[in-house]
Amino acid sequence: MAKLLSFVLVLSLLAFAPLCLCSRNNGGFGSLYPQYYDRSCPKAKEIVKSIVAKAFAREARIAASILRLHFHDCFVQGCDASLLLDSSGNIRSEKNSNPNKNSARGFEVIDEIKSALEKECPQTVSCADILSLAARDSTFITGGPYWEVPLGRKDSRTASLSGSNNNIPAPNNTFQTILNRFQNQGLDIVDLVALSGGHTIGNSRCTSFRQRLYNQNGNGQPDKTLPQSFATDLRSRCPRSGGDNNLFSLDYSPTKFDNSYFKNLVAFKGLLNSDQVLLTGNDASAALVKKYADDSEEFFQQFAKSMIKMSNISPLTGSSGEIRKTCRKINN
């Protein structure tokens, strides 16, 4: 009986493990491939997984925070761990940008992973790859899909505060602005909707959606798409002024990766404007929202594919970049 249960468990996991869209022989992903550290640091993946699991056990919210770090890193000069750099010398940290200031978190978990990897195999595993692996593990540990992560990225020696301010979609952006920012990264409307589904875990601050409650279009009126009872509930903890950092769940199961985010959108109960416009701002996007609301497996499979695609945005490979000794600063 025990053997049968183990076999069923393996099959269930495999069902949510789409084939990696990559290979050691290019496969469209340059020199990135999942086996990159198999010889140079064979325990790398297990170390990342273990520390993410311990962090999640301490605070379930951290999974969403790590997933967000990867997203915000890749949208600024590619997936190069530039977001992890502190300000020093000529570097103006992306941590101080509008999308990240007072909200980006989880850096200590990445530091812990890097420290453990440096002990196991010094200056071998990049911070950029740590982010990619940790994002996948954060998704999986909350009940989401599993995918093979293409590896071999190097770390940047620069950061872009202006890029962080201008490239990352904002909570109050219009649908077209959000789509444009995705397309600028080589991502399409399917990637936009699927990756937005990452908001099935985590929280958002009052300041990120207050405009919807009180002054959506600059006329002193709330967003007309908000159900009255939902808006009343949100206003009870998100007043016109004050309470900026009050936290609200992005969906009703903020520590479980599922498709309830899309079900909320269909019911017009998306928290952020950038979420709800996926249903109201474009017919093709709305069709995808409804498809993922009806079929969690379809969402899981596309989320994994789109995460692989996003993690391949302008990676530094070969002689470009470096392997940082610590993720917060460039090597001397």
Side-chain angles (χ1 to χ4, degrees):
M1 184 66 179
K3 290 183 177 179
L4 176 61
L5 289 174
S6 297
F7 180 67
V8 171
L9 176 60
V10 169
L11 286 181
S12 66
L13 293 178
L14 289 175
F16 295 105
L19 290 176
C20 178
L21 307 179
C22 52
S23 74
R24 190 157 188 161
N25 297 316
N26 194 314
F29 282 78
S31 57
L32 302 184
Y33 54 95
Q35 304 83 11
Y36 189 84
Y37 297 112
D38 281 5
R39 292 187 177 182
S40 59
C41 193
K43 295 182 180 179
K45 296 176 187 177
E46 188 58 40
I47 288 172
V48 175
K49 175 185 174 182
S50 174
I51 294 175
V52 168
K54 290 176 183 176
F56 180 73
R58 292 193 299 266
E59 181 198 27
R61 180 187 170 199
I62 199 66
S65 300
I66 291 173
L67 184 59
R68 186 169 183 258
L69 286 184
H70 185 43
F71 176 83
H72 282 208
D73 178 53
C74 289
F75 266 59
V76 183
Q77 65 183 40
C79 304
D80 61 359
S82 59
L83 171 57
L84 304 181
L85 290 171
D86 290 337
S87 293
S88 64
N90 294 324
I91 293 174
R92 298 176 65 200
S93 178
E94 295 169 18
K95 297 175 185 178
N96 296 322
S97 70
N98 292 327
N100 295 324
K101 192 173 184 179
N102 298 323
S103 64
R105 58 195 300 276
F107 298 107
E108 294 80 7
V109 178
I110 305 302
D111 291 340
E112 185 179 352
I113 294 170
K114 181 60 174 174
S115 177
L117 287 170
E118 285 299 301
K119 291 178 181 177
E120 177 68 23
C121 35
Q123 258 188 296
T124 301
V125 181
S126 69
C127 301
D129 279 344
I130 290 172
L131 275 177
S132 296
L133 287 167
R136 187 273 311 277
D137 292 340
S138 294
T139 301
F140 189 62
I141 201 171
T142 52
Y146 183 94
W147 62 93
E148 291 289 348
V149 178
L151 300 168
R153 299 165 192 80
K154 296 293 179 61
D155 300 322
S156 71
R157 293 181 56 81
T158 62
S160 178
L161 180 61
S162 62
S164 188
N165 279 320
N166 296 321
N167 297 353
I168 298 171
N172 292 317
N173 281 159
T174 64
F175 174 84
Q176 192 57 51
T177 297
I178 298 168
L179 180 59
N180 288 345
R181 292 187 176 186
F182 270 73
Q183 290 176 333
N184 288 341
Q185 303 297 335
L187 303 173
D188 59 27
I189 193 169
V190 176
D191 301 314
L192 163 58
V193 178
L195 291 173
S196 294
H199 281 177
T200 184
I201 55 174
N203 302 282
S204 183
R205 298 182 300 155
C206 164
T207 187
S208 295
F209 61 88
R210 177 183 283 122
Q211 177 180 324
R212 295 190 72 201
L213 301 179
Y214 303 102
N215 191 28
Q216 174 72 339
N217 297 311
N219 58 1
Q221 298 298 313
D223 184 345
K224 62 182 180 181
T225 69
L226 275 172
Q228 186 172 351
S229 59
F230 183 49
T232 299
D233 181 55
L234 294 176
R235 288 192 196 101
S236 69
R237 293 193 296 118
C238 185
R240 286 182 181 272
S241 61
D244 285 4
N245 293 319
N246 290 350
L247 292 176
F248 294 75
S249 299
L250 284 163
D251 81 5
Y252 297 128
S253 53
T255 60
K256 181 182 179 183
F257 198 103
D258 54 26
N259 67 336
S260 60
Y261 164 82
F262 295 105
K263 293 179 179 179
N264 289 349
L265 297 189
V266 172
F268 293 93
K269 292 186 177 181
L271 185 62
L272 306 178
N273 181 72
S274 55
D275 293 327
Q276 196 59 57
V277 294
L278 298 180
L279 181 74
T280 62
N282 179 276
D283 290 343
S285 172
L288 289 165
V289 167
K290 293 173 183 177
K291 179 167 73 170
Y292 298 151
D294 290 337
D295 191 337
S296 61
E297 185 173 345
E298 183 75 22
F299 163 49
F300 277 28
Q301 290 178 356
Q302 186 56 55
F303 184 82
K305 292 176 183 177
S306 294
M307 283 294 290
I308 293 171
K309 186 175 177 182
M310 185 187 76
S311 73
N312 194 54
I313 297 174
S314 304
L316 298 174
T317 59
S319 60
S320 300
E322 65 180 15
I323 305 293
R324 292 184 207 142
K325 296 177 181 178
T326 61
C327 291
R328 293 176 181 264
K329 62 181 181 180
I330 62 174
N331 298 335
N332 294 328

